[in-house]
Amino acid sequence: MQPLSDLLVLDFSTLLPGPLASLFLAEAGARIVRIERPEGEDMRRFPPRFGETSAPFAALNRGKTSLAIDLKAPDAVERLRPLIEKADILIEQFRPGVMARLGFGPEAMRAINPRLIYCSISGYGQEGPRALEAGHDINYQAIGGLLGQSLKRGEPAPLPPTLVADIAGGAMPAVLNILLALRERDRSGQGCHLDIAMTDAMPTFAWYGLAQGQASGRYPQGGEGLLTGGSPRYGLYSTADGWFLAVGALEEKFWATFCAAIGLEEALRDDRRQEAATRAAVAALIGAQPAEHWRALLEPLDCCCTVVRTLEEALADPHLTARGLLDRQAEEPGGRRIVSTPLPLAPVFRDAAPALRKVPAVGDEAL
C-alpha cells in the first residue's frame, strides 16, 4: 500500500527539515526529485562517509533522485518547466524572498501549475520582524520559549533537546500540512502556499505551562513546571556510576511503586508537601547505586522508570529491533549499504522506498 504513489514532489530544500519531510512522502510512495546546485547540496559533504557518499545525506535521501541545475541561470525555470507542470508538491527551505528572486516563487510556480502545493519551510516564517534572520534549531527553541521551560537562572545549562525545531517544528508540520492541502485540493482543484515556521511550533511543547499561565495569571518559571523540573516524579536522576535514570512516575500508582522500590521514607512520599526535600531524598537514593542496579530493579516493576540508553544500546534494544525500525538501508553508488534513519510511519509503508540512486548528470538530459 503506497497511498502517495501517484504524486511527484520537487524538493529544493537542503540539510534536515525539508529532506526529512520529503522522505516521509517517499516512504508513502511519492516520487521525489531533488533539485540541487551543480556541486550538490551541503549535506553531501557531511561526515562520516562511505566511499563517495555522506552517511547523513544517504539516510535522509534514500528513495529519491537528484537533478543538478544552476537556479541562477537565465533558462533555469524553462528547463524545469516540464517537471513543474507535472509536480504535485514543491518543498523549499530558503530564506523568504530567495525563491522569488530566482524566478521560482509561489506565484510564478502556481501560474505554471495552479494545482501545485508549494511548501516553504523557514525558521521564522515568510513574514514578521524576524523573517529574514538567520538561525538554527537552538535559536528557534530559545525564541519560542521551549528552552526557558527547563532552564533555571544561575544554574548550569543542560544541552537542549536535539533538533526539536528542525524535526517537530519543520519536517513534521510540513508533512501534516501537505497532506491537509492535498485533501483540500481534492475538493477545490487548487493548490496553495504553505508557510511553515519552525519557531511557531515551539510554544506547542509548552502547552501545559501556557494553560497554567492562562488560568492563573502566572506562567511557570524555568524548572517549576510539572514536566520541566518542578516535580520529583518526573525528571532525570544521576546514578552512582555517572549515568541517568529517567523517572516518569506521575500517576499515584506508579509513584507509590517507585517510592517503595527505592526505599523512600514514608514522610517524604507525599511530595506535594515538600517537593524540594522529596526530590533531594530521591536523588540521594538513586545516586547511591549504579545504573544497572536500577535497570534490574525498576524496569520490571511497570512504574515508568527507565535507565537512559546510549544510542548504541538503543540500536540493539530488543523492542526496537522487533519493531523493524532499523531495517531501512540506503545505498551509495558503489553498492555499499548503511542503516538509515527510522521513520515512525505505519508498518504498511515500511518497504515503500527504494534505495538511494546515484545523482544524474547535470543538464537537460537529467530531466
Side-chain angles (χ1 to χ4, degrees):
M1 181 179 178
Q2 299 183 7
L4 304 184
S5 60
D6 59 338
L7 298 182
L8 171 62
V9 180
L10 302 185
D11 185 359
F12 288 75
S13 65
T14 63
L15 301 177
L16 175 58
L20 181 57
S22 66
L23 181 55
F24 272 92
L25 302 178
E27 289 283 280
R31 177 192 172 202
I32 314 296
V33 178
R34 291 183 44 76
I35 309 299
E36 300 185 47
R37 58 181 182 268
E39 65 273 22
E41 72 134 305
D42 290 340
M43 184 67 82
R44 288 182 178 274
R45 288 171 281 282
F46 274 40
R49 304 189 70 81
F50 285 92
E52 299 177 357
T53 302
S54 159
F57 177 84
L60 287 171
N61 293 287
R62 63 183 185 271
K64 307 175 186 178
T65 57
S66 292
L67 169 63
I69 185 172
D70 181 2
L71 295 181
K72 296 180 181 179
D75 62 344
V77 173
E78 287 306 309
R79 291 173 65 193
L80 289 177
R81 180 180 284 271
L83 283 175
I84 297 167
E85 290 174 344
K86 294 184 295 185
D88 297 281
I89 299 156
L90 184 152
I91 300 174
E92 65 94 4
Q93 198 178 294
F94 294 104
R95 291 200 213 187
V98 172
M99 285 288 276
R101 289 197 297 273
L102 293 170
F104 290 92
E107 293 80 10
M109 295 298 93
R110 292 188 59 225
I112 296 173
N113 180 356
R115 290 175 53 81
L116 183 68
I117 295 168
Y118 190 108
C119 181
S120 297
I121 304 174
S122 63
Y124 300 107
Q126 299 301 296
E127 298 176 346
R130 294 186 182 273
L132 298 180
E133 284 188 19
H136 281 299
D137 194 281
I138 194 170
N139 308 115
Y140 310 141
Q141 291 191 44
I143 291 294
L146 182 57
L147 288 183
Q149 287 285 289
S150 57
L151 296 178
K152 294 182 180 179
R153 295 185 185 276
E155 293 190 3
L159 291 174
T162 305
L163 300 177
V164 168
D166 280 356
I167 296 174
M172 298 294 192
V175 172
L176 173 61
N177 282 277
I178 285 170
L179 296 178
L180 292 173
L182 287 169
R183 179 68 180 93
E184 176 59 27
R185 191 181 72 174
D186 288 341
R187 297 193 298 184
S188 69
Q190 296 295 308
C192 64
H193 182 199
L194 302 174
D195 178 6
I196 306 299
M198 288 179 265
T199 304
D200 287 358
M202 295 303 94
T204 305
F205 293 90
W207 66 272
Y208 192 75
L210 291 171
Q212 287 178 291
Q214 291 291 317
S216 67
R218 180 185 181 277
Y219 291 91
Q221 301 301 302
E224 290 184 351
L226 175 67
L227 306 178
T228 51
S231 171
R233 301 185 182 206
Y234 196 91
L236 296 173
Y237 291 93
S238 298
T239 61
D241 54 352
W243 202 228
F244 298 94
L245 176 72
V247 175
L250 290 172
E251 292 84 355
E252 192 60 36
K253 63 179 180 179
F254 297 140
W255 177 245
T257 301
F258 170 68
C259 292
I262 67 173
L264 183 67
E265 62 180 282
E266 289 285 347
L268 293 173
R269 295 187 186 187
D270 186 355
D271 55 312
R272 294 168 295 183
R273 295 181 179 179
Q274 41 189 345
E275 285 185 343
T278 298
R279 176 178 283 279
V282 170
L285 289 168
I286 299 302
Q289 297 290 342
E292 195 53 45
H293 170 84
W294 298 117
R295 188 197 304 260
L297 176 64
L298 295 175
E299 291 191 3
L301 294 182
D302 193 32
C303 59
C304 302
C305 296
T306 48
V307 171
V308 173
R309 267 58 166 173
T310 65
L311 184 57
E312 185 175 14
E313 289 172 334
L315 292 177
D317 186 89
H319 178 78
L320 294 183
T321 54
R323 295 281 293 171
L325 297 180
L326 303 173
D327 290 346
R328 295 281 192 299
Q329 290 187 330
E331 183 177 312
E332 67 151 350
R336 187 173 180 180
R337 291 178 176 270
I338 61 169
V339 174
S340 53
T341 310
L343 291 179
L345 288 177
V348 73
F349 301 144
R350 285 188 177 156
D351 296 321
L356 178 72
R357 302 177 185 82
K358 190 174 182 179
V359 183
V362 179
D364 290 324
E365 66 275 15
L367 294 175

